[in-house]
Amino acid sequence: MKSFVRIAALLAAACLFCQGGRAANPYLPLWEYIPDGEPYIFEDPDNPGQLRVYIYGSHDIERSAYCGRNQVVWSAPLDDLRHWRYGGKIFESVLDAEGKPLNPDGQGDILYAPDVVEKVGPDGKKTYYLYPNNQGRGRNAMVARSDRPDGPFTVINWDPKAPNRCVGVLGFDPAVFIDDDGRVYGYWGFQQSWGAELDPETMCTVKKGTEPVRDMVSSRRQEGVFRFFEASSMRKVEDKYIFVYSRVTEDGEFGLPSANGNLAWAWSNHPLGPWTYGGTLIDARARYTDASGKTFCTAAPGGNTHGGLCEIGGQWYVFYHRQAGLGGFDRQAMVSPVELKVTPGPDGKVEIREAEYTSEGFELNGLDPMERHSAGIACWYTGPRPAEGEGLGNKYSGSYVKPVRAEWDGESDPYDLSINHNPVVNNTAGSVVGYKYFNFDLLRAARGRRLELNLIPQGVKGRIVVIADDPFTGERLGSFRLSARRKQEPTRLRTSVRKARRLIGKHALFFVFESDTPDVSICELENFVFLR
């Protein structure tokens, strides 16, 4: 019996060792690339009465272009956001209304950022409508329906006069919202914001007797602070309507060049406005201002973002995405807690404090330092010179997250570190890689005193300095030395970090790379863990 218990304990320890940071940012497995995520809480159709949060987004599987030819869904129980479940493909656009191929090559249409809405009938029956943002000719207004939140979804708005086209008003980046009184509203637009009341029977055409609202909020080409670009998303909180969208910042705003990685918000007393500008909800550039007042990006400096708001267990979150790699087509799902306050009434208002870009994800008490994490959950990666947007991608003088597309068998743990992994590469002299935040109370309780790095040396002599709180002014915890003679193969290094046991609560952790050889990567950073 004692032998059995010992073997079971070893197996449990091995499984824990293999986990790659469940619920950390990005909160979906690192091999999965789901941008534009819209979160919704729906009942699990297989477990009546149990609620789950579902994520609907586009699917970056083209690799050399945005999105992909299918859409999938992930979900998690509200009381356990560490365990996300893959729900499979929910929609593809391959055949027309007559069952014939839509495209000569037989491939499906490219599908951009979608939205989903739940409609409850008088008898309590729930029906789900998917707006897949189809990029096929004449099919951008497509809407599909299902009896389940995880699909499959079937197109319902084929044009009776043209079986390969769809009817409806909704355009680019659609969002649909059903108000408490049952009235339905739609939002869409690319560099021009549109809104309209929809016919509740069709769920896609403008309600008779009404007209679409053009320039619902001002675009970047017009005067005004809204500077709408794309990514419409709508929520209602109390009696206030909150419109979330991608905003193009002005050149020099926040001390940075113009970019559209800024998720902004506006609010109104009516679903179609007029709107009051609120501010930035999350900045996907993860901007940082140093002691001298200089502002720079600590994540991707360019690229889009898209997302929405959701309240889970009394906590509001903003869901969005980050850019991994260099090309702009490897986007991953991110989440951050956000403070949201509504003062009801006609003279009331909405207040939202800008969320912080971190590695925590749903781990609001801080990441566990005694759990092994992929280096790819870094929320800070800078080089000796500022990173720059380059076309649809980004250019780095130093560290960045390299996307890896591992094959998942569909049955094993999708968070196993063998596949749930993105390395941090191009770690040149002057680069900094950071993680916000770790819970160092857990380190002290476990009597952790060493830090282990798994990396691949690049044949360059250098040093990795470990610093807490701030890479420029924080406390040094330890360091690793790399010899130019080390083989360029997976290598395990350990160093004492006894000072870390004095830290109380949550603290950021930074790796600062030093070398006398400029502009050459010292190593490829794979994963790390604190040990006893």
Side-chain angles (χ1 to χ4, degrees):
M1 182 66 179
K2 289 183 179 179
S3 177
F4 174 80
V5 172
R6 183 173 181 272
I7 292 173
L10 288 172
L11 288 174
C15 290
L16 181 61
F17 177 87
C18 289
Q19 288 182 1
R22 291 182 181 274
N25 267 335
Y27 61 90
L28 295 182
L30 290 166
W31 51 263
E32 181 70 292
Y33 297 85
I34 305 291
D36 312 317
E38 280 285 359
Y40 291 102
I41 295 175
F42 297 138
E43 184 177 37
D44 184 343
D46 298 321
N47 297 282
Q50 295 185 21
L51 299 177
R52 300 180 69 87
V53 55
Y54 291 80
I55 297 298
Y56 302 89
S58 51
H59 203 185
D60 273 357
I61 54 178
E62 288 296 293
R63 303 192 183 191
S64 60
Y66 287 131
C67 308
R69 301 177 192 275
N70 65 49
Q71 288 172 343
V72 303
V73 67
W74 288 77
S75 67
L78 300 190
D79 59 353
D80 186 3
L81 298 174
R82 289 177 59 89
H83 290 87
W84 287 81
R85 182 179 74 194
Y86 177 63
K89 296 179 183 178
I90 61 172
F91 186 72
E92 293 178 299
S93 179
V94 179
L95 304 176
D96 67 13
E98 298 177 344
K100 299 176 181 179
L102 284 166
N103 300 304
D105 59 5
Q107 292 194 89
D109 292 328
I110 294 291
L111 309 172
Y112 277 11
D115 197 22
V116 170
V117 68
E118 178 187 75
K119 186 177 182 181
V120 182
D123 59 354
K125 177 178 171 57
K126 298 174 181 178
T127 304
Y128 301 87
Y129 294 85
L130 169 71
Y131 298 81
N133 203 1
N134 194 311
Q135 297 305 296
R137 184 180 295 274
R139 296 186 286 278
N140 188 227
M142 182 177 280
V143 56
R145 184 173 59 201
S146 177
D147 291 333
R148 296 174 58 99
D150 54 1
F153 288 84
T154 303
V155 180
I156 61 170
N157 66 329
W158 291 115
D159 188 335
K161 298 179 182 179
N164 63 349
R165 302 178 69 88
C166 293
V167 298
V169 68
L170 293 164
F172 191 81
D173 281 2
V176 175
F177 164 74
I178 299 178
D179 209 343
D180 300 333
D181 58 7
R183 296 169 74 174
V184 184
Y185 299 88
Y187 310 85
W188 68 97
F190 178 71
Q191 301 198 59
Q192 184 176 53
S193 173
W194 290 82
E197 184 171 356
L198 303 181
D199 185 333
E201 295 299 318
T202 67
M203 296 294 288
C204 63
T205 57
V206 177
K207 182 179 179 180
K208 291 183 178 180
T210 68
E211 294 290 335
V213 178
R214 181 175 181 174
D215 296 321
M216 191 180 71
V217 298
S218 57
S219 74
R220 66 166 178 167
R221 297 171 176 171
Q222 300 170 317
E223 292 186 4
V225 70
F226 296 98
R227 298 183 62 81
F228 175 88
F229 186 69
E230 59 184 358
S232 297
S233 178
M234 179 60 63
R235 297 293 187 272
K236 185 179 184 181
V237 184
E238 299 283 350
D239 61 346
K240 299 292 182 279
Y241 301 86
I242 302 176
F243 180 57
V244 176
Y245 64 97
S246 169
R247 176 178 181 267
V248 180
T249 58
E250 294 188 72
D251 191 36
E253 189 175 355
F254 303 117
L256 295 171
S258 176
N260 66 304
N262 183 282
L263 206 59
W265 63 281
W267 67 274
S268 176
N269 288 319
H270 187 276
L272 293 175
W275 298 92
T276 298
Y277 178 69
T280 296
L281 194 54
I282 188 80
D283 192 332
R285 300 171 296 180
R287 65 182 190 272
Y288 172 85
T289 303
D290 63 19
S292 69
K294 180 182 178 182
T295 302
F296 53 90
C297 303
T298 67
N304 59 23
T305 195
H306 187 147
L309 290 163
C310 189
E311 185 182 25
I312 306 173
Q315 172 66 59
W316 280 97
Y317 294 91
V318 54
F319 290 71
Y320 60 106
H321 66 246
R322 76 170 185 182
Q323 313 278 336
L326 301 175
F329 308 123
D330 301 284
R331 299 168 295 171
Q332 296 171 309
M334 301 280 283
V335 67
S336 291
V338 65
E339 295 182 24
L340 187 155
K341 179 182 177 182
V342 169
T343 304
D347 297 323
K349 62 181 179 178
V350 178
E351 300 170 83
I352 304 178
R353 178 178 295 181
E354 181 179 346
E356 184 180 11
Y357 185 111
T358 73
S359 300
E360 284 183 313
F362 292 107
E363 302 281 3
L364 302 190
N365 292 322
L367 300 170
D368 186 348
M370 306 302 288
E371 180 177 309
R372 188 174 297 273
H373 289 87
S374 170
I377 68 166
C379 64
W380 175 307
Y381 33 98
T382 54
R385 297 175 299 281
E388 300 175 355
E390 187 175 55
L392 297 177
N394 296 289
K395 182 179 180 180
Y396 299 92
S397 66
S399 306
Y400 66 90
V401 177
K402 179 182 178 181
V404 174
R405 294 176 180 269
E407 292 294 331
W408 178 51
D409 61 14
E411 297 180 359
S412 60
D413 182 1
Y415 288 90
D416 188 292
L417 198 62
S418 63
I419 57 172
N420 184 38
H421 174 55
N422 288 164
V424 176
V425 300
N426 201 41
N427 298 305
T428 60
S431 294
V432 178
V433 178
Y435 304 85
K436 301 177 182 179
Y437 295 92
F438 277 93
N439 185 338
F440 281 88
D441 291 341
L442 299 176
L443 180 73
R444 190 171 61 257
R447 299 182 180 179
R449 62 181 184 275
R450 293 178 296 166
L451 175 61
E452 176 181 291
L453 290 186
N454 280 315
L455 49 78
I456 300 176
Q458 304 290 289
V460 177
K461 181 181 178 182
R463 183 169 60 173
I464 306 171
V465 181
V466 185
I467 300 177
D469 295 323
D470 186 283
F472 311 113
T473 63
E475 182 175 13
R476 175 172 166 162
L477 302 179
S479 66
F480 300 85
R481 291 187 179 275
L482 283 173
S483 167
R485 295 189 298 273
R486 275 194 177 272
K487 292 182 179 180
Q488 297 183 38
E489 61 185 19
T491 301
R492 178 181 298 175
L493 299 178
R494 292 177 177 175
T495 189
S496 173
V497 286
R498 293 181 180 274
K499 289 183 179 179
R501 292 177 60 178
R502 298 204 302 259
L503 299 176
I504 298 174
K506 296 200 304 183
H507 295 266
L509 183 72
F510 294 93
F511 300 130
V512 178
F513 296 85
E514 299 178 350
S515 173
D516 292 333
T517 305
D519 299 324
V520 179
S521 181
I522 298 170
C523 69
E524 181 179 284
L525 192 59
E526 302 292 326
N527 59 70
F528 61 96
V529 65
F530 285 84
L531 303 170
R532 291 189 64 179

